Amino acid sequence: MQREMTMEQALGLYVERAERMDLMNRKTIRWIVLYDDGRVSRETQAVEYLNVLFNIPIHPLYQNKQGRLLLCYDNGRVNVLDIKEIFKDKLKAKGFKKNGYCMKDDRKLVRAFVCDKDDYLVICSIDANGKKYIKADLIDKRNATPNMRNEGNMFVKDARPYRWMVFPGALKKWLKPVIVPTGTNRGVPLESYALYPQLVELFRLAEDLNSPPIVCVH
């Protein structure tokens, strides 16, 4: 009988990924910079302009057909972007471009993730009655595009997301209770998922290892 993966083993998955990043970082780390006014630019390093929303490091590990950039909005939509195609088309060269992400009055871009298409996106949400839910979606089940202005797929409907996390596919066994058929449902009640505290702790540790996007607050 297969034993449950421990927290140390799970963290080891991120350590291994971070080590692979270090080995590949002799190549260029590209930066995608998103601005408050909706624009985007490709840069060779993080920038410190006052109107920057996200500085997103794209390590060589993700500059291929497996790499995904997730733009997460507070209305439950997530735009799943093909990183390789973005650099082939929209961000061929350094400099400002328009139309970096979807800007509409009914939504706000609040999180960005760089990950692998075989990772899982976990979303925690709360409905109008204050009840909390959790769900996990395999990223590869969602269509990836190079269109940064796309409003994205609806991942959660009739509830407001308040936490997004990304986990390696190897943690599928941990996530199985909250993996739901691809769609817009909210998932399962958060209170019924016993592993939630461990997931949050693991995600925080993993972000320290894997260079998350820099969120500029001003």
Side-chain angles (χ1 to χ4, degrees):
M1 183 176 177
Q2 187 178 6
R3 297 178 61 185
E4 287 285 347
M5 183 180 290
T6 65
M7 176 67 80
E8 290 74 19
Q9 289 170 326
L11 184 58
L13 297 172
Y14 290 97
V15 172
E16 180 185 350
R17 189 174 291 192
E19 289 173 346
R20 281 190 288 147
M21 281 184 181
D22 287 340
L23 287 174
M24 297 181 72
N25 280 349
R26 286 169 291 182
K27 301 178 181 178
T28 302
I29 297 177
R30 299 169 177 173
W31 289 78
I32 293 177
V33 182
L34 298 178
Y35 299 85
D36 290 342
D37 61 3
R39 292 182 299 168
V40 61
S41 69
R42 170 179 169 174
E43 304 293 343
T44 56
Q45 61 185 8
V47 299
E48 298 181 358
Y49 304 140
L50 290 176
N51 63 333
V52 168
L53 182 63
F54 287 105
N55 277 298
I56 307 172
I58 309 293
H59 294 265
L61 182 65
Y62 297 112
Q63 295 174 29
N64 55 50
K65 63 182 181 180
Q66 295 282 117
R68 297 291 182 264
L69 170 61
L70 309 182
L71 300 182
C72 305
Y73 295 88
D74 65 354
N75 67 343
R77 289 187 176 272
V78 179
N79 192 7
V80 181
L81 293 158
D82 185 319
I83 291 174
K84 184 177 181 180
E85 292 301 316
I86 291 174
F87 285 123
K88 279 175 60 178
D89 181 24
K90 191 176 189 71
L91 298 178
K92 280 185 178 180
K94 179 181 176 182
F96 287 112
K97 302 285 183 180
K98 291 185 177 180
N99 304 331
Y101 55 94
C102 183
M103 292 189 71
K104 292 185 178 179
D105 292 340
D106 65 342
R107 72 202 64 197
K108 179 181 179 182
L109 178 62
V110 289
R111 287 302 307 260
F113 294 100
V114 179
C115 59
D116 190 281
K117 72 175 187 176
D118 294 326
D119 290 342
Y120 281 85
L121 176 63
V122 173
I123 301 178
C124 298
S125 60
I126 185 168
D127 68 13
N129 298 315
K131 190 170 182 63
K132 294 182 178 180
Y133 297 85
I134 184 170
K135 69 177 294 188
D137 260 312
L138 177 63
I139 292 167
D140 195 31
K141 285 189 174 181
R142 303 287 182 150
N143 293 330
T145 77
N147 183 1
M148 299 188 75
R149 282 282 285 181
N150 193 316
E151 62 182 10
N153 299 122
M154 180 66 79
F155 274 66
V156 175
K157 193 175 182 180
D158 299 326
R160 205 71 170 175
Y162 64 89
R163 172 168 282 160
W164 295 258
M165 299 179 285
V166 172
F167 296 97
L171 284 180
K172 182 178 179 179
K173 192 171 182 180
W174 277 24
L175 301 172
K176 189 175 181 180
V178 296
I179 295 174
V180 298
T182 299
T184 62
N185 63 77
R186 293 164 289 189
V188 303
L190 183 62
E191 62 197 32
S192 70
Y193 182 54
L195 287 175
Y196 177 67
Q198 289 95 318
L199 277 190
V200 173
E201 180 185 357
L202 177 61
F203 181 68
R204 287 172 176 165
L205 292 171
E207 282 210 310
D208 290 339
L209 287 170
N210 285 334
S211 302
I214 302 169
V215 182
C216 299
V217 180
H218 43 261

